[in-house]
Amino acid sequence: MLLLALQATYQSELIKETSVYPRVCGKGNYHYEAIQIEIQHSGSYTFNANSTIKLYGYIYRGDFDPSYPNTDIITQSNFSCGSSFKVGNYLEANKVYTLIVTTFDPNVRGPFTLFIIGPTNITFNRISKWVFFLDIK
């Protein structure tokens, strides 16, 4: 049996009005986009991001709560000196996952493209709310 990997593309941009959260030790304003992922068939999925800005990625089981960013993390991307990230894991069908695309540095914005490779098509649903957390010092 031969399984072919399918590829999907998702494009978006982190802008001034995009949600922010204090990603590192509860400090800083890191712009992010939350994307709900619907998996139709269980398998290994890889999310590759490309951008002109340094990005970081996380996959969460269930919903993402920016007040508790360390809860329900399945995996996260490794640091890269470039402006892209790669994150992936085995994802089960009929489960809710959230992909977070965020900036490596605080207060940075810009466009990004995701390239997704997996055994079948997936559905994306942007769920970011334009809610702001202020880093008051």
Side-chain angles (χ1 to χ4, degrees), residues 1-89:
M1 182 165 92
L2 177 64
L3 290 177
L4 298 176
L6 297 176
Q7 184 166 339
T9 304
Y10 177 93
Q11 293 182 323
S12 190
E13 184 171 4
L14 300 173
I15 60 174
K16 183 178 179 183
E17 294 80 16
T18 305
S19 299
V20 297
Y21 75 118
R23 180 172 64 84
V24 179
C25 300
K27 296 182 179 180
N29 290 319
Y30 294 84
H31 289 269
Y32 74 92
E33 184 167 321
I35 306 161
Q36 185 176 24
I37 304 167
E38 294 179 27
I39 303 296
Q40 295 154 358
H41 295 286
S42 299
S44 293
Y45 292 83
T46 303
F47 301 82
N48 295 291
N50 192 15
S51 181
T52 57
I53 59 174
K54 288 184 186 175
L55 295 174
Y56 208 76
Y58 298 88
I59 298 176
Y60 287 83
R61 180 175 294 109
D63 296 325
F64 169 69
D65 184 345
S67 300
Y68 301 96
N70 294 323
T71 302
D72 294 326
I73 293 176
I74 296 173
T75 189
Q76 62 189 29
S77 60
N78 293 325
F79 171 72
S80 171
C81 292
S83 57
S84 62
F85 71 73
K86 179 178 180 179
V87 63
N89 209 341

Side-chain angles (χ1 to χ4, degrees), residues 54-127:
K54 288 184 186 175
L55 295 174
Y56 208 76
Y58 298 88
I59 298 176
Y60 287 83
R61 180 175 294 109
D63 296 325
F64 169 69
D65 184 345
S67 300
Y68 301 96
N70 294 323
T71 302
D72 294 326
I73 293 176
I74 296 173
T75 189
Q76 62 189 29
S77 60
N78 293 325
F79 171 72
S80 171
C81 292
S83 57
S84 62
F85 71 73
K86 179 178 180 179
V87 63
N89 209 341
Y90 183 87
L91 303 179
E92 296 179 41
N94 304 315
K95 302 260 179 167
V96 175
Y97 297 97
T98 303
L99 173 66
I100 297 297
V101 177
T102 187
T103 57
F104 185 79
D105 297 306
N107 304 311
V108 175
R109 301 178 297 272
F112 65 89
T113 302
L114 295 174
F115 300 96
I116 303 88
I117 298 172
T120 188
N121 291 333
I122 63 175
T123 303
F124 302 104
N125 181 25
R126 181 179 180 189
I127 57 174

